[in-house]
Amino acid sequence: MKRVLMDISADLTRIALAENGELMELYYESKRDESLVGNLYAGRVANVMPNLQAAFVEIGTGKNGYYYYGSARAVSDTEKNPARPKVGDTLLLQVEKDAVGSKGAVLTANFSFPGKFLVLLPKDAGEIGISRKITNSEERNRIREIVKELLPEGCGAIVRTNGEGKTKEEFEKEINILAAKAEKLKTGEFLKPPALLLQENHPVRRAARDFYAADVDEYVVNDKEAYEELLETGDFNGENQPALKLHGEKLPLFESYFLESQSEKALEEHVWLKSGGFLVIEETEACVVIDVNTGKSAGRGDLQKTILKTNLEAAEEAAKQMRLRNLSGIIIIDFIDMADKDAQKEVTKRLEAAVKKDRIKTVVVGMTELGLMQVTRKKTRPSLKRQMTTKCRACEGTGRLPSIEWTVTKMRREAESILSHTIYNKLTVRADQRLLLAFAGQESSYLKYLEEAYDGILLLERAEIGFGQYVMEKEKQK
């Protein structure tokens, strides 16, 4: 059974997709960091970078968005792209990807308005695409004729898999709703930038739309207002429609369906496999790395069979973790080395089959000569880790701190430099107790050395600050 859970609180909305009780997808949306994907803006061009065929556009969200106006062919310095905007120009743009870290949102002029079973394309006049998963030729022709008749002038459309079997009335209702959104583009020409033209749906409505085509049996929401809002759409509790339930129990929603502990495990670096092997998942700025290890399965029976079994299980688990953690961009999977080419092909096929379950476009590029599997997954929003965690103040997100020996050496160099090259002869050092003891040396030998060699005065004061951090105050003593 597929079930979508919508846990709504004052500051945070959590959306989860569970299949037979197992957590498959999870994302958070806070009031402070609400997703902007799909929003329409009248933006002001703040900076143009001709060599990149890109511009930074002010849209009123704090960070300038990145807009690529170029074509597939590179343009030289002496050649001007006719689509190149000027600083101060007003552009009507849509958010394609949310801002991540220091990078602003990615913007596009190729507008699209997604519905439950159709995507309206205001700039693609007459173009009608139909999901390849709708294989019946008669059904494809029927859908094409209906959509062609209903499309507004100058618009195109892509029919999703969920459009199969839908009536003309259902298509008409969907197109009318999306066409009303597209009309907002006409008002943008008269607004002073930066200005918001259209704000995409509340996360609950957006989740209902995005998961509607995923054969979901039931939606459960714990907020009465959101429940009534979804009920009014007419998309639930009818024939051939998913059920919509209001969670009224005192026990929190995720705990009621045994998903709370699963959501907490989604941040763990190690993921254990049933065979005894495990994955190590590391997210970096450039890419995501998934390392496969034999772990407890090593030493059991035939080595090559053990490796193949672990890698096959790891392929399925890696695909599952990509969905759950929303890992995107370039993903490198370091499988355990396999000498047999047939075994490599089998693992690749297993991974390709596993990623087909993902509603986000995922491509298995193939294995390199070094045995590294290359995968790309479309970026739609920040990863679960970026949504649920914040950068550590002590290590600045590196996960590492300077060793106590390195820090003590740095402190001593600084102390000697102050006492020998400045007018100050008194130092007060504040730090963690362990750092102070190491700095002072065995039986305070280093403190004695400083006082004798530089005729200085040193005071050590314990302070409740992060390990590896210190404060050194200097003073001139008469």
Side-chain angles (χ1 to χ4, degrees):
M1 182 181 192
K2 285 189 178 181
R3 181 183 283 119
V4 172
L5 304 179
M6 303 180 181
D7 181 25
I8 304 167
S9 60
D11 301 314
L12 191 71
T13 297
R14 296 193 296 175
I15 310 291
L17 172 66
E19 294 183 17
N20 300 318
E22 185 177 4
L23 185 62
M24 303 305 295
E25 292 187 38
L26 174 66
Y27 66 87
Y28 285 52
E29 193 158 312
S30 67
K31 295 286 189 290
R32 184 187 55 175
D33 299 318
E34 209 165 44
S35 175
L36 303 178
V37 173
N39 286 4
L40 292 180
Y41 291 94
R44 185 185 66 83
V45 178
N47 189 19
V48 179
M49 305 183 73
N51 292 346
L52 298 177
Q53 299 190 77
F56 289 96
V57 183
E58 183 185 354
I59 58 174
T61 58
K63 291 180 184 176
N64 290 345
Y66 177 83
Y67 168 54
Y68 177 73
Y69 62 82
S71 57
R73 183 177 64 84
V75 176
S76 67
D77 294 344
T78 58
E79 188 180 359
K80 185 176 178 181
N81 188 325
R84 173 180 164 183
K86 298 176 183 177
V87 173
D89 281 357
T90 298
L91 298 179
L92 302 184
L93 300 169
Q94 187 174 37
V95 177
E96 187 176 17
K97 298 175 186 176
D98 278 319
V100 177
S102 60
K103 299 176 183 177
V106 176
L107 308 174
T108 180
N110 297 319
F111 306 106
S112 63
F113 298 93
K116 294 185 297 297
F117 44 86
L118 181 142
V119 180
L120 186 69
L121 309 172
K123 283 191 172 183
D124 295 4
E127 294 291 329
I128 300 175
I130 299 177
S131 171
R132 293 178 181 177
K133 293 182 180 180
I134 301 177
T135 55
N136 186 286
S137 58
E138 291 183 5
E139 175 64 5
R140 291 177 68 89
N141 290 334
R142 183 190 74 86
I143 292 172
R144 190 179 300 277
E145 290 303 315
I146 291 174
V147 174
K148 185 178 180 181
E149 180 185 341
L150 297 174
L151 273 180
E153 187 178 352
C155 292
I158 298 173
V159 180
R160 292 176 155 181
T161 307
N162 203 41
E164 187 172 14
K166 294 294 184 289
T167 65
K168 181 178 179 180
E169 290 73 22
E170 289 175 303
F171 275 112
E172 186 172 18
K173 179 184 175 182
E174 178 101 316
I175 289 173
N176 288 341
I177 292 171
L178 299 179
K181 292 183 178 182
E183 284 292 312
K184 296 286 185 180
L185 290 169
K186 296 179 180 179
T187 66
E189 301 173 6
F190 309 103
L191 295 176
K192 182 180 178 181
L196 175 65
L197 305 182
L198 172 71
Q199 184 169 8
E200 256 298 2
N201 293 327
H202 183 274
V204 170
R205 273 184 175 268
R206 189 165 57 245
R209 179 198 71 202
D210 292 345
F211 288 119
Y212 202 84
D215 301 323
V216 174
D217 301 295
E218 183 178 86
Y219 287 74
V220 185
V221 60
N222 66 349
D223 181 81
K224 190 174 182 180
E225 185 179 336
Y227 170 79
E228 292 174 350
E229 187 179 340
L230 290 175
L231 207 57
E232 287 175 3
T233 63
D235 296 328
F236 300 93
N237 295 341
E239 188 177 354
N240 297 322
Q241 290 182 331
L244 177 65
K245 293 184 178 180
L246 176 64
H247 180 77
E249 300 177 20
K250 290 184 178 180
L251 190 66
L253 178 60
F254 274 35
E255 286 190 30
S256 294
Y257 290 90
F258 306 102
L259 296 182
E260 195 65 62
S261 59
Q262 292 185 54
S263 69
E264 292 171 0
K265 287 182 179 179
L267 288 179
E268 292 180 0
E269 190 177 271
H270 287 65
V271 179
W272 286 96
L273 306 174
K274 292 180 181 178
S275 63
F278 63 92
L279 308 181
V280 179
I281 302 173
E282 285 280 353
E283 294 182 50
T284 70
E285 191 70 23
C287 65
V288 177
V289 180
I290 302 177
D291 185 36
V292 183
N293 299 271
T294 52
K296 299 174 184 177
S297 64
R300 298 179 184 174
D302 184 87
L303 178 60
Q304 292 304 316
K305 287 183 178 179
T306 300
I307 290 174
L308 178 58
K309 180 183 177 183
T310 304
N311 281 341
L312 289 172
E313 190 180 349
E316 293 188 1
E317 187 62 40
K320 190 185 299 181
Q321 292 298 322
M322 282 187 264
R323 284 181 70 190
L324 176 58
R325 300 172 187 239
N326 194 36
L327 305 175
S328 54
I330 299 171
I331 301 168
I332 303 297
I333 307 176
D334 185 8
F335 287 106
I336 305 165
D337 290 341
M338 296 173 287
D340 187 3
K341 295 294 182 183
D342 290 336
Q344 292 182 8
K345 290 179 181 178
E346 190 175 348
V347 171
T348 302
K349 287 181 179 178
R350 181 69 65 90
L351 182 60
E352 289 172 339
V355 300
K356 285 181 180 178
K357 301 173 185 177
D358 197 341
R359 63 189 179 88
I360 306 298
K361 184 179 180 181
T362 307
V363 178
V364 178
V365 179
M367 195 171 283
T368 69
E369 292 180 359
L370 296 175
L372 303 174
M373 185 68 76
Q374 305 167 98
V375 181
T376 62
R377 189 169 183 270
K378 184 179 178 182
K379 287 186 178 181
T380 55
R381 63 179 187 274
S383 69
L384 192 62
K385 183 178 181 180
R386 288 187 180 274
Q387 288 183 313
M388 294 175 64
T389 63
T390 188
K391 187 181 287 188
C392 172
R393 295 178 184 177
C395 70
E396 290 297 322
T398 64
R400 308 283 296 179
L401 289 173
S403 68
I404 193 166
E405 292 84 2
W406 189 93
T407 306
V408 165
T409 301
K410 179 185 175 186
M411 292 169 68
R412 288 178 176 178
R413 282 200 305 266
E414 186 176 339
E416 290 177 19
S417 177
I418 292 170
L419 293 175
S420 62
H421 293 91
T422 71
I423 62 173
Y424 302 105
N425 58 356
K426 180 180 178 181
L427 296 178
T428 302
V429 182
R430 295 185 177 88
D432 173 87
Q433 180 70 19
R434 290 171 294 173
L435 196 57
L436 291 177
L437 290 174
F439 174 74
Q442 191 172 4
E443 296 181 355
S444 299
S445 58
Y446 184 70
L447 294 185
K448 294 174 183 176
Y449 161 75
L450 281 183
E451 291 172 356
E452 292 174 2
Y454 299 99
D455 194 24
I457 301 171
L458 266 82
L459 299 177
L460 303 185
E461 293 183 5
R462 181 178 177 179
E464 295 297 327
I465 56 178
F467 179 72
Q469 298 178 334
Y470 64 92
V471 175
M472 193 173 290
E473 293 182 356
K474 48 196 177 183
E475 183 180 345
K476 184 179 179 181
Q477 185 81 17
K478 294 182 180 179

